[in-house]
Every structure is written in structure tokens, then in C-alpha cells.
Amino acid sequence: MHDLVQEPVLTSDPMRHFTWRRDQRHRPGLQFLTSTGRHHGAESLEESRVLLALDFAGDVVDVVSQPLKISFATCGKGRSHTPDYLAVTRGGVWLIDVRPEPLIKEADRESFAAAAEVAVACGWRYAVAARWREHAFAGLDAMASRRRLRSDPLGLRPVLLAEAAGGRRFGELAVATGCEPVARAQLLHLLWSRQLGVDLACPLGDRSLVMPAGEAGR
């Protein structure tokens, strides 16, 4: 396992291929990440959520889907497990499994334990994405809708950044520009790009307190 960190994992192909057929119960697809500039495979909506969260908050350098296959033994039986993602971030490397909490069975827990051991041996961190605060993801999804907003023809971003100094409510900031509909889109972009900060422990709305990213960190 120690030798695994020397392998070119980031340039390898997924251990499993993503397949689509009409009668399947999960929903595979591709999720675009602004942090990597390309699409990444996801086998379900839950995995797409993880990719979106990594793109926003993970300080991501690169992500590999289905990065490796682990073979292990439990109760005298041979087993194998393929973790869902390997995320290389500026704060370290994460091995990630995705499984909704109600669907986790004992066999899954054994697989997760094996993946955690591999992560420890490689000096990585390990996590299982099993449950979300739904309001937090709704806010993240709203910000992601404007993540690729590149133009600012009305010059609203400098105004919004200045008005947010010391903290202002989301709705108040939008109204203060005199062009509320466009300002809302620009605000979501500034929040996504971490130029402004907001507390996602509460639902994102007009009363959400928005402030410059440096002040939000303090």
C-alpha cells in the first residue's frame, strides 16, 4: 500500500466504466468542475452532489473517479471494493466513498473500513458522504448555477464587494445596486468564487448575511 502513493493515479483510467441503460435505478452522468476545467464521471445524483461540493469548498487540484480497486479478506472470504473518488486538494488527498445513509449495510461498512485502512497507509484522508443538510445543498446549487458567469457589463461586482463591507443582507445588497435581477446573479457568482462569504448553516435567502470573504473567515 505504501507504494500506491508513487503510482500515477491521476493519469489512470477509472477502474469501472460508467454505463447507461433504460431500466437502471441510479442516474449516472458527467459533472463539470470549474476547479479542474473538465467533466468528471458520477454514477448517481449523490455522487454529482459530492463533486459539486468539492468544486466549491474542496480547494481541489484534481479528481479521479473510481481511482483504484481494493482486494481484502473478511471472515475468511475474499472481497473487493472500488472507492468512488480520489480528490487531490491543496490541503491533502482525500479518498471518498458515496453512499446514502439509509442504504449502508454491514458489507458496506466492511468495505469502507478497508478503504480507510488504505487511506491511512498512503497518508491520505478518508470520508464517506452519506448525508446532507438539504438546505445547505440547495444554497450550493443556487450558487453553482452562476459559477461560470464571466461578464459584468454593468460593473456591479465592485459595487457589491464595496457594499458588503461590514456585512449586508443578500436582498439589501441586490436592491442597493439599482439593478436587482442582474445583481442577484452577480452575487451568486461572487459567493461561488469565494469573493464574498455567507453562512450555509442557514438557508440561503434574502436575509442571509453576506460579507467579504476575509471577514467571513474571521
Side-chain angles (χ1 to χ4, degrees):
M1 288 302 177
H2 289 290
D3 296 334
L4 183 61
V5 295
Q6 307 298 328
E7 295 295 322
V9 179
L10 289 177
T11 59
S12 63
D13 293 328
M15 296 301 299
R16 294 199 305 257
H17 293 291
F18 298 96
T19 59
W20 290 262
R21 61 180 192 276
R22 195 168 59 183
D23 60 342
Q24 65 189 25
R25 299 179 62 182
H26 61 288
R27 185 177 171 182
L30 296 172
Q31 180 71 51
F32 180 81
L33 302 191
T34 55
S35 52
T36 65
R38 69 179 193 276
H39 289 85
H40 298 263
E43 289 188 309
S44 65
L45 292 177
E46 290 295 320
E47 290 188 12
S48 293
R49 285 183 165 193
V50 169
L51 287 172
L52 194 63
L54 283 170
D55 200 22
F56 173 68
D59 212 9
V60 166
V61 175
D62 209 342
V63 177
V64 180
S65 304
Q66 315 285 351
L68 52 93
K69 183 176 182 180
I70 302 166
S71 298
F72 63 99
T74 175
C75 299
K77 296 181 180 180
R79 292 270 307 280
S80 65
H81 173 62
T82 302
D84 293 304
Y85 295 109
L86 185 73
V88 179
T89 77
R90 292 177 180 83
V93 180
W94 284 81
L95 190 63
I96 302 171
D97 272 306
V98 183
R99 186 74 167 167
E101 189 175 39
L103 301 181
I104 296 177
K105 299 179 174 62
E106 188 61 32
D108 296 317
R109 297 181 188 278
E110 293 171 351
S111 296
F112 298 158
E117 290 292 332
V118 170
V120 169
C122 294
W124 302 338
R125 302 179 72 177
Y126 177 72
V128 178
R131 181 173 55 185
W132 295 93
R133 294 181 179 179
E134 288 301 325
H135 73 266
F137 189 81
L140 180 59
D141 194 43
M143 290 185 286
S145 68
R146 302 298 178 183
R147 57 183 167 167
R148 287 192 273 183
L149 185 65
R150 293 188 173 91
S151 62
D152 181 21
L154 300 180
L156 295 182
R157 290 179 194 171
V159 176
L160 291 168
L161 290 169
E163 290 287 337
R168 294 282 299 276
R169 303 292 179 186
F170 187 98
E172 294 173 352
L173 276 172
V175 171
T177 63
C179 191
E180 183 179 349
V182 180
R184 288 178 176 273
Q186 295 291 353
L187 270 172
L188 291 173
H189 177 77
L190 291 171
L191 288 170
W192 173 270
S193 61
R194 313 301 285 273
Q195 297 178 65
L196 292 175
V198 68
D199 184 6
L200 288 177
C202 301
L204 179 62
D206 280 356
R207 294 190 57 80
S208 298
L209 186 63
V210 177
M211 59 190 69
E215 295 180 22
R218 293 193 293 270

